[in-house]
Amino acid sequence: DGARLSGTQFCELLDYVRNLKDIFNEIDVDTSGSISCAELHRAFQLSGVNVAENVVAQVGRSYDADSSGTLEFDEFVQMRLEWDCYITAWDSATSGNAVIQPERLLQILEEVKRSMEHVGQSLQRQADVPVFMSQGLFFTSMFKVPRPFQAQTCEWLIIRFGEGNLFLTFSQYSAMLVFMKEMKSAFCKLDANASGSLNLDELYNCF
């Protein structure tokens, strides 16, 4: 039903985690058992992903749930699952180009949201959903009432992160996603009834 795994799916999950553990160990060059920002940046470079070092540091901190300054394996798994989705959406929208145009950014935002929509709808019926989904960009309140991203939202995001250009590079796109994750976290804390929108009383708490 979308919220349970079959025996075959569970075995595939274990294989996926084992593969991520191997990748984690390759990135952890000092064998400390955790990944530093420098090691994470090196991993991005070796994979051919061009992201500024300060942006990689922001990405790493956004998954550092215990504020240790490094990523432990479970935090790395969370990062990899979410960023695989972001990179797939980027590749689909850019078709190999180094930058993304405004009209394509709207497509990316919708693809990122839809990629886990069926999971969110299934998990919405589970009692522990708010805890399960609390760390990433995908929060349960996103799934209660479907709302498309507005074109004006994309325009403001490009103004904020495009550094004067009418497009985004992958590094700027990455910084934008870190920002969106922070905003989504703040939004969900204010959205006390998990309705997916803020009433006047909730909005008052922003200030």
Side-chain angles (χ1 to χ4, degrees):
D1 61 3
R4 295 182 176 85
L5 295 178
S6 68
T8 299
Q9 291 169 329
F10 180 70
C11 291
E12 292 173 350
L13 181 149
L14 290 179
D15 286 340
Y16 178 80
V17 172
R18 286 193 202 99
N19 181 56
L20 284 189
K21 185 62 176 176
D22 290 340
I23 295 172
F24 180 89
N25 290 337
E26 290 177 9
I27 298 172
D28 180 23
V29 292
D30 63 0
T31 65
S32 64
S34 60
I35 295 175
S36 66
C37 287
E39 289 172 329
L40 186 61
H41 183 237
R42 177 178 175 273
F44 270 78
Q45 289 180 313
L46 292 176
S47 64
V49 178
N50 184 25
V51 180
E53 187 170 1
N54 67 308
V55 175
V56 173
Q58 292 174 25
V59 171
R61 284 195 297 268
S62 71
Y63 292 93
D64 182 16
D66 58 3
S67 301
S68 65
T70 59
L71 294 181
E72 282 68 47
F73 180 61
D74 61 331
E75 295 168 337
F76 173 74
V77 171
Q78 293 174 43
M79 185 200 76
R80 183 62 187 264
L81 285 166
E82 198 165 331
W83 275 83
D84 279 354
C85 169
Y86 299 159
I87 292 171
T88 298
W90 169 273
D91 290 342
S92 174
T94 58
S95 302
N97 292 324
V99 299
I100 190 165
Q101 305 299 330
E103 64 275 11
R104 290 293 187 180
L105 181 59
L106 186 61
Q107 174 189 337
I108 278 190
L109 293 176
E110 284 299 318
E111 286 185 12
V112 165
K113 188 175 69 171
R114 283 199 308 268
S115 66
M116 285 192 62
E117 196 159 285
H118 62 291
V119 179
Q121 290 169 346
S122 297
L123 291 172
Q124 187 68 34
R125 298 190 293 270
Q126 308 299 315
D128 60 345
V129 167
V131 175
F132 186 88
M133 299 290 282
S134 65
Q135 293 298 323
L137 180 58
F138 307 109
F139 287 87
T140 55
S141 64
M142 181 180 288
F143 306 104
K144 282 196 170 183
V145 180
R147 294 186 180 92
F149 282 96
Q150 299 179 11
Q152 188 176 17
T153 303
C154 295
E155 292 172 5
W156 280 108
L157 287 169
I158 288 178
I159 291 171
R160 170 67 175 77
F161 293 97
E163 299 177 4
N165 297 308
L166 296 178
F167 55 79
L168 295 180
T169 64
F170 185 80
S171 186
Q172 292 165 341
Y173 165 75
S174 300
M176 181 199 76
L177 289 171
V178 172
F179 169 80
M180 289 181 65
K181 180 175 176 178
E182 292 172 352
M183 292 302 99
K184 191 62 178 177
S185 178
F187 178 91
C188 287
K189 288 177 181 177
L190 293 168
D191 183 18
N193 60 1
S195 65
S197 60
L198 300 181
N199 58 40
L200 291 180
D201 288 336
E202 291 169 334
L203 190 60
Y204 178 78
N205 292 326
C206 293
F207 306 99

